[in-house]
Amino acid sequence: MNRNHPSPFATLETSDGFLGPLWRGTMQSLLDRTREDGFCQTSFGEENGVKCYGVCHYSRDAAEAAGVLADQGCPEPAARILDFTLSHIPEGQYFIVHAYRPDGTPLHNKIQIDTPAHPARALARLLETGADDPALPRCFDRLDRVFDDTWRHHFHAAFRLLDSGNYNEQLGGGTEPLLDLFTNGAMYGGCLAMAEAARLLNRPAIVTERYLERAALLDRGIDHWLYNPAADLYRAALRPDGRAEERPLNWINLYPERWYPGRRSAWRRAFEELWRAEHCNDWGGLRVPSGETGFMKLRTMGKVIGQMLRFAARSGNDRRLEVLLEFLRRTVRRPADLYPEYWLHHLPSPGQSPYLDWFFGEFEGVWNGFAENPAADYTVDSGNCEQCAVFLGCFSGDVLGFSAGGGKVEAAPRLPGTAVAEVRNRALGVHRGRRVAGGFRLDAHELEFTAEAPVEELTLTLPFYAGEAPAPVGCEPPEAEVKLDERGATAVFRNVSSARLTRLKG
C-alpha cells in the first residue's frame, strides 16, 4: 500500500457500474503483483490460473506498470520496479534484459531496442508528480548509460534511425535488425522523457539538450524514411539496406502514435483503415478491429483496444469511442474486474501455425472462441501487465482526460453514453512538500473539480459530443480564461482548489 496517501488508488464511478470496477480491479492487480524488491510478475494469477508465461518480470511490460502506478499516486512500488529492472543488468552488458526470473537472473536476454524507452517514460512520470525516491537518480544514471550504448551500437546515421536489435517481438519475434516504426517511435518518446527527467533531476543542461537532439534526429528519420506520402501512412519497417519491409496494415501502423505525434493525417488514416470490414471481427453485431491480419485475426490484443480508446478520445471520435466502451462492457466477463490480455474471436484451424498448434494443444479447453461459444468466456484473463497498464494509462489520460504534474492539472473527460463519471482521491503530485489529491465529476452539462490544496494551473474542458451544438458556458471562479471550439468549452483557472464549468441554456 502507498504509505503517503490515504488510499492507494482513486475511486472511479460511472453510471454503467462497470468501468469503475474494471479500472480499480485492474489497477489493484498491478500493485498486488509487485514484490517489495520491485519484481513485477508479468502475468497475474498463475498460481491458480493458466501458466502461459511462467512467473517472470518482462522489463518493457513492468515499466508500463510502473508508469501507471506512478500516475496513480503509488511512487514507491513504481520506483522499486524501475530499480529492479535497471540494477540487475549483468556486468558488462549494455542493453536491458528482456525478461528476468524472480531471483533477478536473465530469463530471456535478447536485445530489443525499444526497451529503454519504457522505463524512461515511467521515470519521467514519477519525477513530474513530485516523487523523491532515492532510487530515481541512480535509475536515471543507469538509463543514461543504456541510452548512450544503445546509440553507439544501433543508431544508423545515414537513416537517422535505430535498428531493432536481434529480437523484434512486435514484428513476429524476428532476428533481423529492422529499422522499424515501433522501435523508433518508442525511443523518440523515450528520448523526450530522458530530457525531462534530466531537467527535473537538475542534471547539466547539456544532458537535456543531448536527448532533445536525439529525439529530433529520430523525428527526421521517421518522417523521411518511414512515412509513405503516397499512402499517407507510416511504414511498419525498413531494412538496413533501405528497402521497405512490405507488411499488411495492422496495429503497428497506429500504435506508435502513443509516443510519436508525427503526421496526424497518417495516424487518422491508419485508424480509419483498421475499422474497415476486412480488419474487424463481428462480436454479435458489434464490429471491432482485431488489429491483426491473416490467421492471427482470431485475437485482439488488450493494448490494441487501449490505443484505439486513446485515439478515438483524443480525436473526438465519439462514435468509435462508444463502440469500444460497449465492447468492454459486453465482453470482459471473467474476472469482471481485470482487463484481459486477449480476446479470442474464434479458435485456430489445425496447421495454421506451429505456435498456435502447440499453444491451443497445451491449453485445450481453457480458452474458448466467441464464434464457437458466445456464452462462454473468450477473454484470455492472465492479466498481462503491459496490456493492463496500456488500457489504464489510455483510459485515465485520454478517456477520462486527466493529467497532473508540475503544479498543473488538466481534466478533459470524454465518456459518450455514460451519464456520470466521478473520480475522487486522484493523485495530483506534490504541493509545498506534501502529496495532494483531488477529483472531478462530469455529467452532460457540468464539470466540477476539487483538490485538497491550490493547484498552480487548472484546465477544464467540458466536451461537446457528436451532434451537439456549442453552447454558452458559465464558470466559477468567473475570472477564468474561456474559449470554445468544435470539441468543447475550455477554461483555464489559476491558483484554485475548486472550479466549475457549466453549459448554459439559450
Side-chain angles (χ1 to χ4, degrees):
M1 299 285 283
N2 177 16
R3 294 183 296 275
N4 294 329
H5 205 282
S7 173
F9 303 120
T11 298
L12 167 68
E13 295 179 4
T14 56
S15 60
D16 60 17
F18 168 75
L19 291 171
L22 176 67
W23 188 56
R24 187 175 179 85
T26 302
M27 192 70 71
Q28 187 66 47
S29 80
L30 298 183
L31 195 63
D32 290 346
R33 76 183 69 198
T34 303
R35 295 189 325 203
E36 284 296 317
D37 65 352
F39 175 85
C40 180
Q41 186 171 312
T42 290
S43 292
F44 187 61
E46 287 134 334
E47 297 305 318
N48 299 304
V50 178
K51 297 179 173 63
C52 60
Y53 302 104
V55 178
C56 59
H57 172 116
Y58 271 76
S59 296
R60 183 190 67 229
D61 296 19
E64 292 277 15
V68 170
L69 288 169
D71 195 48
Q72 295 301 317
C74 294
E76 297 91 346
R80 291 199 304 268
I81 288 170
L82 297 183
D83 204 24
F84 184 96
T85 295
L86 297 168
S87 64
H88 288 88
I89 300 172
E91 186 69 30
Q93 180 169 302
Y94 71 87
F95 56 92
I96 295 173
V97 174
H98 185 60
Y100 289 102
R101 297 185 180 91
D103 64 0
T105 58
L107 174 64
H108 302 304
N109 204 19
K110 298 168 182 173
I111 306 171
Q112 187 161 309
I113 292 305
D114 69 275
T115 300
H118 309 292
R121 289 186 299 111
L123 174 62
R125 188 66 187 126
L126 272 164
L127 294 167
E128 285 168 354
T129 58
D132 58 357
D133 194 292
L136 301 184
R138 65 175 177 262
C139 285
F140 178 87
D141 292 338
R142 290 166 182 156
L143 271 173
D144 191 35
R145 178 180 62 80
V146 168
F147 268 82
D148 281 351
D149 288 342
T150 295
W151 227 256
R152 185 158 48 253
H153 287 88
H154 296 275
F155 184 70
H156 297 250
F159 297 100
R160 289 167 292 198
L161 294 170
L162 292 157
D163 70 57
S164 56
N166 66 12
Y167 180 63
N168 194 320
E169 189 174 32
Q170 309 309 316
L171 295 177
T175 59
E176 184 180 5
L178 296 171
L179 310 170
D180 71 297
L181 182 62
F182 189 99
T183 296
N184 286 282
M187 288 296 278
Y188 169 87
C191 287
L192 292 184
M194 288 295 284
E196 180 65 2
R199 184 186 70 81
L200 292 169
L201 286 169
N202 296 313
R203 293 298 197 267
I206 191 172
V207 179
T208 295
E209 291 164 6
R210 183 170 74 245
Y211 282 105
L212 292 176
E213 289 167 2
R214 288 172 175 172
L217 286 172
L218 294 178
D219 181 26
R220 291 198 291 272
I222 293 170
D223 191 66
H224 183 79
W225 293 102
L226 295 180
Y227 174 65
N228 179 356
D232 195 20
L233 287 167
Y234 286 106
R235 299 182 176 95
L238 199 73
R239 294 180 181 275
D241 63 5
R243 290 185 296 120
E245 173 80 356
E246 298 298 334
R247 292 174 179 263
L249 181 134
N250 72 355
W251 65 276
I252 291 287
N253 297 86
L254 175 68
Y255 192 78
E257 185 270 343
R258 288 185 65 209
W259 315 300
Y260 175 69
R263 294 177 181 259
R264 198 68 187 164
S265 62
W267 300 128
R268 283 198 302 268
R269 176 76 184 276
F271 180 79
E272 290 303 327
E273 286 291 317
L274 288 169
W275 283 88
R276 292 170 64 92
E278 61 266 31
H279 295 293
C280 292
N281 289 318
D282 187 326
W283 299 84
L286 202 64
R287 198 180 77 185
V288 176
S290 166
E292 302 283 7
T293 57
F295 60 79
M296 289 306 292
K297 192 181 167 189
L298 62 90
R299 72 174 188 179
T300 297
M301 281 193 290
K303 65 183 180 184
V304 170
I305 295 298
Q307 169 64 357
M308 286 274 178
L309 286 166
R310 167 190 161 87
F311 195 87
R314 288 176 69 88
S315 58
N317 194 328
D318 297 316
R319 181 170 62 92
R320 302 293 197 203
L321 180 58
E322 193 160 6
V323 169
L324 293 165
L325 292 172
E326 180 62 19
F327 175 65
L328 294 183
R329 295 184 190 106
R330 288 192 193 181
T331 60
V332 180
R333 298 184 174 185
R334 183 179 64 90
D337 59 353
L338 182 60
Y339 188 78
E341 179 179 5
Y342 296 118
W343 286 260
L344 293 175
H345 182 264
H346 55 273
L347 297 176
S349 301
Q352 285 185 318
S353 155
Y355 170 75
L356 293 179
D357 287 346
W358 166 81
F359 187 88
F360 284 94
E362 180 80 9
F363 303 119
E364 185 177 3
V366 174
W367 292 316
N368 304 278
F370 169 81
E372 289 79 11
N373 188 356
D377 175 37
Y378 38 81
T379 58
V380 178
D381 58 2
S382 62
N384 175 277
C385 66
E386 179 188 30
Q387 319 294 324
C388 289
V390 170
F391 160 69
L392 290 165
C394 292
F395 187 80
S396 180
D398 298 293
V399 179
L400 291 183
F402 198 95
S403 62
K408 298 182 179 182
V409 176
E410 182 171 358
R414 298 201 73 85
L415 281 164
T418 303
V420 177
E422 188 170 12
V423 180
R424 297 192 304 274
N425 206 27
R426 178 65 163 76
L428 305 182
V430 173
H431 179 78
R432 295 177 182 172
R434 69 185 183 92
R435 195 162 297 282
V436 177
F440 68 84
R441 186 177 187 278
L442 169 74
D443 65 24
H445 300 284
E446 184 173 85
L447 177 57
E448 185 178 9
F449 177 89
T450 58
E452 292 177 1
V455 292
E456 293 174 15
E457 184 174 300
L458 166 65
T459 301
L460 299 182
T461 299
L462 184 59
F464 299 148
Y465 296 112
E468 287 187 333
V473 295
C475 59
E476 297 178 16
E479 61 269 17
E481 303 167 11
V482 182
K483 66 176 183 178
L484 294 173
D485 60 27
E486 68 280 0
R487 290 201 62 193
T490 299
V492 179
F493 306 86
R494 290 185 173 83
N495 297 310
V496 294
S497 57
S498 64
R500 181 181 292 118
L501 188 59
T502 308
R503 294 187 68 180
L504 302 177
K505 295 180 180 180

